[in-house]
Amino acid sequence: MDITIEQSGRVRIVTLNRPHARNAVHPGMARALFDAFTDFEADDDSDVAILTGAGGTFCAGFDLKAAAGGEGAEWIEALDIPDGWHPARQPMPGPMGPTRLRLSKPVIAAVEGPAVAGGLELAAWCDMRVVAKSAYFGVFCRRWGVPLIDGGTVRLPRIVGQGRANDMILTGRRVWAGEAQTMGLADRVVETGTAKEAALALATSLLEFPQGCMMADHDSARMSPEDLAAALMREWKSAAMVRAEGVAGASRFAAGAGRGGAGVG
């Protein structure tokens, strides 16, 4: 199974489960992630979710082998955002799965190893990030000409500020956990191998509060659905202008270039 789902009390744990591919997300997996989080939102017995990855890796992004082929192209082409789209009333998947959802309940990312490219966008979609000391973030897709198309340009500046977001987005460099915490991208930094355990402890602590009040404050603190829709639409249209460049870069990766983060600082 490319994702696994488990329940710990009122906490739903969704795990990316392709460790042989550093949990890179292919179209079928993206759909499964979207379904997992729409199910979580509708489940009255679940109040908090955790998103994590198997095998000491969070997520290396969208599967560039799929992106270079017909499967990925068909998936991306089917995701055009319609005019007048409202994320709260018209749930629809993003390329990585749940990234166009605006849930009423909090989601915590438990990050081990790389959270890069689309994996960074998944982590930024989450409301909090518990990060292992040896984990790192990065817009690694920069060197392949693959744009951020799943909320990265929308959410990252709101999390770390425009200047630091510019640094990450323009350079594509590796940002380790310690620097990520200084930026505000990592909310908790924990020992390697303990991110999921620490995220579960954090999630469980949230259950101790009156949920109605907490959810109301959580909703008010975020970008409005209308502003989110407009920002994601602008990002999507901007990326569409360079999609051919991204496909070419994905093809170079699929052919064997730059594996394992080679050439990224």
Side-chain angles (χ1 to χ4, degrees), residues 43-258:
D43 183 6
D44 292 337
D45 294 324
S46 298
D47 293 322
V48 185
I50 293 170
L51 177 61
T52 191
T57 295
F58 184 70
C59 178
F62 194 76
D63 189 330
L64 292 185
K65 290 184 179 179
E71 179 191 18
E74 289 176 7
W75 172 247
I76 299 298
E77 291 296 330
L79 296 177
D80 279 336
I81 302 173
D83 290 338
W85 173 63
H86 193 286
R89 293 194 292 265
Q90 300 165 273
M92 66 178 298
M96 295 292 292
T99 36
R100 292 178 183 170
L101 290 173
R102 189 180 185 278
L103 305 182
S104 65
K105 306 172 186 179
V107 181
I108 300 169
V111 180
E112 301 274 357
V116 298
L120 170 61
E121 293 182 294
L122 276 178
W125 171 73
C126 295
D127 300 293
M128 298 182 72
R129 285 152 293 280
V130 176
V131 181
K133 285 183 177 179
S134 58
Y136 57 89
F137 301 90
V139 187
F140 282 16
C141 48
R142 178 61 55 246
R143 63 200 170 103
W144 302 110
V146 177
L148 294 169
I149 58 174
D150 225 358
T153 66
V154 175
R155 296 185 175 101
L156 194 59
R158 289 178 61 85
I159 295 169
V160 305
Q162 189 65 58
R164 284 169 165 165
N166 289 345
D167 185 347
M168 292 185 69
I169 291 169
L170 296 177
T171 69
R173 69 181 179 89
R174 191 187 313 259
V175 174
W176 293 98
E179 184 181 2
Q181 186 173 38
T182 300
M183 288 181 170
L185 183 55
D187 299 293
R188 308 279 195 279
V189 173
V190 299
E191 294 297 328
T192 297
T194 68
K196 179 179 174 182
E197 176 186 355
L200 182 57
L202 175 59
T204 302
S205 75
L206 300 185
L207 302 176
E208 299 172 3
F209 301 123
Q211 293 296 294
C213 174
M214 188 182 76
M215 296 302 182
D217 286 348
H218 172 55
D219 183 65
S220 181
R222 294 180 295 164
M223 185 182 291
S224 72
E226 295 78 13
D227 288 345
L228 176 63
L232 291 177
M233 174 74 81
R234 189 177 77 161
E235 179 188 66
W236 185 256
K237 288 184 175 180
S238 177
M241 294 186 292
V242 294
R243 193 168 294 163
E245 185 177 293
V247 172
S251 297
R252 292 197 306 275
F253 176 87

